[in-house]
Amino acid sequence: SNLQSAIVFPNKIATEQQSLMLVKRLLAVAVSCITYLRGIFPESAYGTRYMDDVCVKILREDKNCPGSTQLVKWMLGCYDALQKKYVSLTISFSYLKFIETFIYVSPLAASTITECYHFKFKYTHNGPLLDFSSKNKRNDSTITCADTKKASILLIRKIYVLMQNLGPLPNDVCLTMKLFYYDEVTPSDYQPPGFKEGECEGMIFEGEPMYLNVGEVPTPFHMLKVKVTTEKQRMENVDKGILKRGENDVPLQVLGVDRDDPEE
């Protein structure tokens, strides 16, 4: 009922269920890290867990902080969609420029995005896949748990380093979560718990956006890719090489305006 379980890497990711468990936990760690380091919720809304030897903060339901409870509920809704292989996910921090009408204030009427986190999930539909990533086709071998573990820890470290170096968010931000579905497999009336049908209006971005490819984590059954869009000025203190760790690790990649990888 919460996100608090420890992140344990099995010796072998042999089943889709083990992979799903790992992907859910990784999502919980990533979202918790982002909200923690961006100062969205108070310290009391987080517990401490270990992911291998990396100490991470994990969001929990805090009765004094309704926002954290709401986000935990949304995360559990995401888990439902993940399990069904329907979803790819975007979390955005919006600036709310309220438009007042006579009767009520509608925050959705005019929200401007100031920072956005994209979690893209890919699934295999028929058993373990060979390496998903187009960059290094190792057709002779499947993805090992060691690969997944290394990529997971690297992803979380990159998120930490990026969050610690980004300029601060404005004071009046509001967190929203949107789920985008793979239409060909998702029933048209499906909504996970805690979500409702959204209008797919374009997002208005405040200032000049900068698109960053933070990293990806493959398992034999899933692939998680994380991208961040932020205001260019917030990147002033981020040294582009800062996220390089070791010889073979890919540093943070600044994407062009097209935002997406060619294969997508």
Side-chain angles (χ1 to χ4, degrees), residues 120-144:
K120 188 172 178 98
F121 299 94
K122 292 182 176 179
Y123 310 92
T124 63
H125 285 276
N126 41 10
L129 248 207
L130 296 172
D131 198 342
F132 281 88
S133 69
S134 47
K135 295 174 207 52
N136 50 342
K137 290 240 187 299
R138 298 176 311 178
N139 291 329
D140 55 334
S141 64
T142 51
I143 293 152
T144 66

Side-chain angles (χ1 to χ4, degrees), residues 189-230:
D189 59 352
Y190 172 75
Q191 292 298 335
F195 289 85
K196 64 182 189 335
E197 185 71 42
E199 303 79 50
C200 208
E201 75 292 339
M203 296 181 187
I204 308 159
F205 197 86
E206 178 87 4
E208 190 183 342
M210 194 159 192
Y211 306 104
L212 306 168
N213 220 345
V214 183
E216 52 186 53
V217 177
T219 82
F221 301 88
H222 295 86
M223 165 72 99
L224 167 62
K225 295 186 173 195
V226 182
K227 296 178 183 177
V228 177
T229 309
T230 189

Side-chain angles (χ1 to χ4, degrees), residues 58-79:
I58 303 271
L59 200 64
R60 59 178 170 207
E61 295 185 64
D62 172 12
K63 58 182 186 302
N64 302 317
C65 178
S68 72
T69 303
Q70 178 62 61
L71 184 52
V72 169
K73 285 199 171 73
W74 285 344
M75 295 291 292
L76 297 175
C78 294
Y79 286 178

Side-chain angles (χ1 to χ4, degrees), residues 101-205:
T101 62
F102 295 113
I103 307 163
Y104 71 109
V105 178
S106 166
L108 294 176
S111 60
T112 311
I113 308 293
T114 187
E115 198 160 275
C116 208
Y117 297 84
H118 310 270
F119 294 85
K120 188 172 178 98
F121 299 94
K122 292 182 176 179
Y123 310 92
T124 63
H125 285 276
N126 41 10
L129 248 207
L130 296 172
D131 198 342
F132 281 88
S133 69
S134 47
K135 295 174 207 52
N136 50 342
K137 290 240 187 299
R138 298 176 311 178
N139 291 329
D140 55 334
S141 64
T142 51
I143 293 152
T144 66
C145 191
D147 298 333
T148 301
K149 180 175 174 175
K150 184 182 172 189
S152 301
I153 290 169
L154 182 65
L155 176 71
I156 298 305
R157 287 205 170 121
K158 280 185 178 180
I159 289 174
Y160 257 80
V161 173
L162 179 62
M163 297 300 101
Q164 284 165 333
N165 287 276
L166 274 184
L169 287 169
N171 290 331
D172 51 351
V173 290
C174 156
L175 186 142
T176 58
M177 193 182 270
K178 284 190 176 189
L179 303 184
F180 294 89
Y181 302 104
Y182 290 110
D183 288 338
E184 62 278 13
V185 292
T186 308
S188 56
D189 59 352
Y190 172 75
Q191 292 298 335
F195 289 85
K196 64 182 189 335
E197 185 71 42
E199 303 79 50
C200 208
E201 75 292 339
M203 296 181 187
I204 308 159
F205 197 86

